Amino acid sequence: LGKSDLIIATDITSTYPITMQELPSIGYRNQIKAEGILALGPDLILMEEGYLSEDVVSQLRTAQIEIHSFAKPTTVAETVTFIEKLGELLDQKAEAESLKAQLNQDLEDLDTYLKTITSKPKAAFIMARGPQTVFLAGEETFAQEIFQMAHLELPATGFKDFVPITPESIVKINPDYLVFFESGIQSLGGTQGLAKIQGIDQTTAFQKNQIIALDGNYLSGFGPRVGKAALELAKAARGEWSKVSL
């Protein structure tokens, strides 16, 4: 929206654009303290609903800092609403309309691509935070939503949210593709570390090295680039993307 020069700090998940990584980091969720934020002297705080603890929010309000919270988008419609609300708050309505137009173009590009394909591969999203902390995405997750956008089948059904992965569960669904955050692959020690997940070596995805890794925010954040992320995912699951090497 043309206001990035006013941002003085971010949390550790704010990695785009790359200039955000050069700013001071206030930490992550329950690790964030009011003192660290106040020391930076902000006039305005924009945050995801429920991201900061109530105690921290109370301390910031006591310090008379203006705070606005927004629901995390989980669908394209919610992404559009978020852009509109932020554009209105920052008095950047024209820029918001331009951003919405770009999003619509990205979605048209996605639709154009999907009209050229007939396959609907099975894909599973795995949330990894080290070999001992590995979860499988089910229904009512960002994975289900963006898989639908990319015309991928989510075989991990019958449960909601994320559940610990078991050898039996991954073998049973036998995905054609395994999707990770880049940080998840790295937490396993790179693609060679995937074999640490019991049962994964019996899947078609592992045996054919059909592993997809994308930036976490890009894939799951449902920000203005969601159309591009869905298109990239769709192409990757049709072999039109180089395999990861992390």
Side-chain angles (χ1 to χ4, degrees), residues 6-205:
L6 298 180
I7 300 175
I8 61 172
T10 65
D11 76 337
I12 62 174
T13 68
S14 300
T15 58
Y16 182 86
I18 195 169
T19 51
M20 295 297 102
Q21 299 178 38
E22 301 170 1
L23 296 173
S25 173
I26 59 173
Y28 179 72
R29 286 192 177 274
N30 59 354
Q31 301 171 354
I32 297 174
K33 306 299 182 184
E35 294 80 6
I37 298 175
L38 293 172
L40 296 167
D43 300 309
L44 172 68
I45 294 174
L46 305 178
M47 69 176 194
E48 175 188 327
E49 286 182 357
Y51 193 79
L52 298 177
S53 70
E54 292 184 6
D55 286 344
V56 170
V57 173
S58 177
Q59 291 176 60
L60 295 173
R61 292 194 187 283
T62 299
Q64 297 186 324
I65 296 177
E66 183 179 355
I67 301 174
H68 293 272
S69 60
F70 302 86
K72 178 179 173 62
T74 57
T75 65
V76 170
E78 291 175 2
T79 300
V80 172
T81 298
F82 174 64
I83 292 172
E84 291 172 342
K85 287 183 176 180
L86 198 55
E88 183 174 357
L89 174 66
L90 300 177
D91 195 23
Q92 297 290 100
K93 294 183 180 179
E95 289 78 2
E97 289 301 314
S98 177
L99 203 55
K100 286 165 55 180
Q102 180 59 60
L103 172 58
N104 287 332
Q105 182 59 59
D106 293 341
L107 294 173
E108 288 181 17
D109 292 344
L110 172 63
D111 185 59
T112 298
Y113 173 73
L114 293 175
K115 288 177 179 177
T116 69
I117 60 174
T118 57
S119 64
K120 193 171 185 179
K122 293 191 299 181
F125 177 79
I126 296 179
M127 174 80 75
R129 295 172 181 166
Q132 307 304 318
T133 312
V134 186
F135 297 87
L136 181 65
E139 298 171 340
E140 297 186 15
T141 61
F142 82 85
Q144 182 181 43
E145 186 70 22
I146 203 159
F147 280 12
Q148 288 176 348
M149 291 178 65
H151 282 202
L152 301 179
E153 178 185 348
L154 180 76
T157 58
F159 65 93
K160 299 177 181 179
D161 207 9
F162 291 80
V163 299
I165 200 167
T166 64
E168 296 78 15
S169 64
I170 194 65
V171 170
K172 181 179 179 180
I173 64 174
N174 190 26
D176 300 307
Y177 284 86
L178 289 167
V179 184
F180 291 82
F181 291 155
E182 290 174 342
S183 59
I185 292 280
Q186 291 164 353
S187 76
L188 296 170
T191 53
Q192 65 273 19
L194 292 181
K196 299 175 185 176
I197 303 175
Q198 293 185 358
I200 203 171
D201 59 340
Q202 298 180 50
T203 65
T204 298

Side-chain angles (χ1 to χ4, degrees), residues 146 214-223 225-230 232:
I146 203 159
L214 295 170
D215 176 79
N217 267 352
Y218 181 55
L219 183 65
S220 69
F222 276 80
R225 298 181 295 157
V226 63
K228 288 182 171 65
E232 188 169 345

